[in-house]
Amino acid sequence: MPALDIDAGSLSISNNANLKSISGFNNTHFASSISIGGNPKLVSISGFDSLRQVLAVLGGGFGIGGNDALTSLPAFGALITTPNLRIVNNPALLALDGFPSLTQVIGDFQISNNESLKTINGFSKLTSISGVERIILNSALI
């Protein structure tokens, strides 16, 4: 989907039993929400290199959860702000390195129930969380 442009819209990729990879959203700069969940065979997410902002629109947010095979999230390097950020229930997720430009979460910040998560290095510019911060139940986190 190299030409897909969803600026200011919602993107939900959910409950796809055989989906193994997501790519091709390079023309997306803004979205009202991003939800990627319930994709048990999803291994990789790429192609969101231009996504800069998830807008604080009614119910907007950024969530990745319930993706049993997902091991990393390197795809969101341009994201600067989002109303909520939830990365939950991804049992194979090993590292969070894909948010080096994120500076602001306008709402809750939650990283939980990612049993294999060992490192969180991808939030070096994050300076503001206006909601609740939860980093819990990540049993492998050192």
Side-chain angles (χ1 to χ4, degrees):
M1 293 182 255
L4 185 62
D5 188 339
I6 61 163
D7 285 353
S10 289
L11 174 65
S12 178
I13 302 172
S14 301
N15 301 313
N16 298 287
N18 294 308
L19 182 66
K20 293 182 180 180
S21 66
I22 296 172
S23 64
F25 293 91
N26 291 328
N27 292 331
T28 301
H29 300 97
F30 305 95
S32 60
S33 68
I34 301 279
S35 176
I36 301 172
N39 305 295
K41 294 183 181 176
L42 182 63
V43 175
S44 67
I45 299 173
S46 63
F48 287 89
D49 301 331
S50 298
L51 181 66
R52 291 188 306 266
Q53 185 176 18
V54 178
L55 306 169
V57 180
L58 295 173
F62 182 99
I64 297 179
N67 301 294
D68 298 341
L70 188 64
T71 58
S72 66
L73 283 174
F76 302 95
L79 185 63
I80 297 168
T81 185
T82 183
N84 292 295
L85 186 127
R86 290 185 175 88
I87 300 170
V88 299
N89 299 320
N90 300 290
L93 188 63
L94 297 171
L96 276 177
D97 299 325
F99 300 88
S101 300
L102 187 66
T103 60
Q104 183 178 33
V105 175
I106 307 164
D108 295 341
F109 177 91
Q110 180 178 358
I111 299 171
S112 65
N113 295 313
N114 302 293
E115 296 90 23
S116 299
L117 185 63
K118 293 182 180 180
T119 60
I120 300 175
N121 293 321
F123 299 97
S124 60
K125 292 186 179 178
L126 184 60
T127 57
S128 175
I129 299 171
S130 64
V132 176
E133 179 183 342
R134 291 183 198 99
I135 301 175
I136 57 172
L137 302 172
N138 302 291
S139 56
L141 192 59
I142 299 172

